[in-house]
Amino acid sequence: MKAVSAALAVSTSFLAVSVVLAQSRSSGKPPGGAAPKYDPAIYAELQKAPEKARNRTNPLQNDPDAVAAGAILFEQHCAECHGNSAEGSRKAPSLQVPEVQTATPGTLFWLLTNGVVRKKMPVWSKLPEPQRWQLVRYIKSLGGPATPGDSPVPKP
Amino acid sequence: MVSFCQFVLLGFFSFFLFWVFSPPPALAQERPYFVAYDHYLEEPGNLEIEYFSTYGTQRSGNNFHAFWTEFEYGATAWWTTEFYLDGQTTFHDSTLFTGFRWENRFRLLKREHFINPVLYVEYENKNGADKILKEGEGHDLESDFLVSNAEARKEHIHEAELKLILSSTFKGWNFTENTLAAKNLSNSPWEFGYALGASRPLALKASAKRCTFCPQNFIGGVEMYGGLGDRHNFGLHDTSHYLAPVLAWNLPSGWTLRISPGFGLNDNSHRFLMRWGVSREITGFGSMVSRLFGGQR
């Protein structure tokens, strides 16, 4: 009986949290809050990519669907922290800045694969390699059309 | 019994509220395994709510349906913490709450390697009627489940469990190997077990269009798990083992469905286990809670 009471208590607390969360959701605030001030030090992790990783080329560089697929993946996995247009939030930096846009595709792929786990950036190797390359194509497209296939796509 | 029904109803109602009101979900990319773990942790600040069921056959006894709910939270990018509530119904016997578990997984290395170790630490507070078969350990046998619920629930188990998870990803495949050591905190010997798993998405590239039935949303695989005896009698003698194909379907709406028929590999094992589960990931749960209390996470 004691155990059932405990379970009831946990379940009721969970219910209460659900209701409160539902109300906070309706306040309409963006999840990550406003973008922080620009701080170049945040991007220092990009410099840690080994040369071999930096020099890797994107095997989907000429895939016409890669940017569109990357945009969907970005919305599903990255926008919560980096913002809907990768503009950054309190949780994670902007990906539109020159540090990211001038980084090689291999560097971005390396960072996605390894994450920065001490700074809350998860390891994304759970996405298969081709999907990480699709994400790289999308992120690079945010800085303007470097190649014909890289023109930004409207948000899906 | 009414209290237990209230508990179940409240659980479902809470789940429904989350479904209706929660923020736009991230597409979960969840492991298909029921028993084995890979090295991927929950994203920081996300909460995943999961419900799982196991239907098991029982020779010379009553079949059962065991179920558990998990609340999995990404505390940091290297630490995931999880709380479980377990229960079971034994047909022609009774339904009861069997206990709770608190599990933590710690990523040991900063970067991705060919083999990625994760340390798993769990505390279990359950009674002897627990039947979720979430792991194979020690000399767990099918015949242990012949005891009636009324008798089995009298046994209280406080158990600590450690696992070393070694997981690799190669050409889209995930291979994982878990070794387990569990100690009943009363005066019982250490017990050991294992779980192995392999899985792969049905397609590696994402589609350029939103789709529910795209092959990349399905992850198929297989897992095998069982006991390895205890400190006094290590090995395969008097242990049970299972082989189970697994399939997960990650829906774009944020839900994940899993199914796994499991087959006992020896006479000490249940002949057949049918597992299924449903889960949903709530992104930004930590931030929402923090904002409720005035924080700016």
Side-chain angles (χ1 to χ4, degrees), chain A residues 11 14 18 20-22 25 31 45 63 72 75-77 80 91 114 117 120 123 125-126 130-131 134 156, chain B residues 3 10 13-14 18 21 26-27 40 43-44 77-78 110-112 204-206 208 210 284-285 287 291-292:
Chain A
S11 200
F14 182 49
S18 301
V20 177
L21 281 179
R25 159 96 177 123
E45 202 68 25
D63 183 337
I72 294 174
E75 189 198 344
Q76 290 169 337
H77 300 295
E80 163 66 20
K91 286 182 182 175
N114 289 285
V117 292
K120 295 188 177 177
V123 166
S125 62
K126 73 164 140 182
Q131 292 187 27
Q134 287 172 321
Chain B
S3 295
L10 273 171
F13 186 54
S14 307
F18 261 114
F21 295 111
L27 175 69
Y40 299 117
E43 283 84 44
W78 51 269
K110 265 200 314 192
R111 300 224 164 93
E112 191 75 355
L204 300 182
K205 267 171 78 173
R210 290 174 190 287
F285 177 85
S287 304
R291 277 205 307 279
L292 284 178

Side-chain angles (χ1 to χ4, degrees), chain A residues 138-154:
Chain A
Y138 172 69
I139 292 168
K140 294 292 279 180
S141 78
L142 298 170
T147 63
D150 275 353
S151 51
V153 291

Side-chain angles (χ1 to χ4, degrees), chain B:
Chain B
M1 191 57 70
V2 172
S3 295
F4 185 80
C5 291
Q6 286 171 340
F7 159 65
V8 171
L9 278 175
L10 273 171
F12 275 111
F13 186 54
S14 307
F15 216 87
F16 175 74
L17 278 181
F18 261 114
W19 177 44
V20 171
F21 295 111
S22 62
L27 175 69
Q29 194 76 19
E30 298 304 325
R31 61 179 178 266
Y33 309 123
F34 282 78
V35 175
Y37 286 85
D38 58 27
H39 67 290
Y40 299 117
L41 304 184
E42 191 61 51
E43 283 84 44
N46 288 5
L47 176 74
E48 186 168 359
I49 303 167
E50 303 166 287
Y51 169 81
F52 292 104
S53 273
T54 297
Y55 168 80
T57 60
Q58 178 76 45
R59 276 168 285 201
S60 315
N62 297 317
N63 296 347
F64 60 90
H65 171 221
F67 40 88
W68 70 101
T69 304
E70 298 182 27
F71 304 94
E72 181 177 354
Y73 181 67
T76 70
W78 51 269
W79 170 29
T80 289
T81 185
E82 220 168 323
F83 182 71
Y84 293 61
L85 294 169
D86 305 345
Q88 60 103 329
T89 296
T90 300
F91 301 118
H92 309 296
D93 190 338
S94 62
T95 295
L96 70 163
F97 173 72
T98 53
F100 69 87
R101 298 157 190 249
W102 180 38
E103 161 195 317
N104 293 279
R105 280 175 284 147
F106 302 96
R107 190 184 166 88
L108 298 181
L109 299 178
K110 265 200 314 192
R111 300 224 164 93
E112 191 75 355
H113 296 270
F114 182 67
I115 295 176
N116 300 282
V118 170
L119 182 65
Y120 171 110
V121 183
E122 184 184 66
Y123 169 72
E124 296 180 2
N125 183 335
K126 60 186 183 182
N127 62 43
D130 184 75
K131 293 185 175 180
I132 69 171
L133 290 166
K134 185 78 172 64
E135 60 265 314
E137 64 185 53
H139 295 288
D140 288 349
L141 307 176
E142 182 190 30
S143 54
D144 298 341
F145 285 10
L146 287 172
V147 183
S148 72
N149 280 349
E151 215 33 57
R153 70 184 303 177
K154 290 178 186 166
E155 183 191 7
H156 288 272
I157 301 168
H158 299 270
E159 190 171 279
E161 192 173 297
L162 299 172
K163 282 181 189 168
L164 180 63
I165 298 162
L166 300 174
S167 166
S168 308
T169 298
F170 182 69
K171 291 191 183 296
W173 282 90
N174 171 259
F175 299 99
T176 188
E177 190 271 326
N178 307 171
T179 45
L180 172 157
K183 174 88 171 78
N184 188 327
L185 298 176
S186 63
N187 192 19
S188 299
W190 281 91
E191 296 182 311
F192 304 101
Y194 71 93
L196 307 168
S199 65
R200 183 187 186 276
L202 300 192
L204 300 182
K205 267 171 78 173
S207 167
K209 290 179 184 161
R210 290 174 190 287
C211 49
T212 302
F213 295 99
C214 295
Q216 82 261 13
N217 293 343
F218 293 87
I219 304 178
V222 66
E223 65 182 353
M224 182 177 168
Y225 50 92
L228 291 173
D230 59 34
R231 189 170 67 86
H232 303 304
N233 190 5
F234 184 81
L236 299 177
H237 182 66
D238 277 346
T239 56
S240 55
H241 303 269
Y242 297 90
L243 183 71
V246 290
L247 181 69
W249 181 18
N250 293 305
L251 284 96
S253 57
W255 291 90
T256 297
L257 307 176
R258 295 179 180 85
I259 191 161
S260 170
F263 305 94
L265 297 179
N266 62 11
D267 289 340
N268 293 325
S269 317
H270 297 274
R271 270 189 191 149
F272 180 67
L273 299 176
M274 187 70 202
R275 298 186 193 265
W276 66 94
V278 56
S279 62
R280 182 175 163 96
E281 188 162 310
I282 312 295
T283 58
F285 177 85
S287 304
M288 285 189 286
V289 172
S290 178
R291 277 205 307 279
L292 284 178
F293 296 99
Q296 291 191 330
R297 188 164 168 177

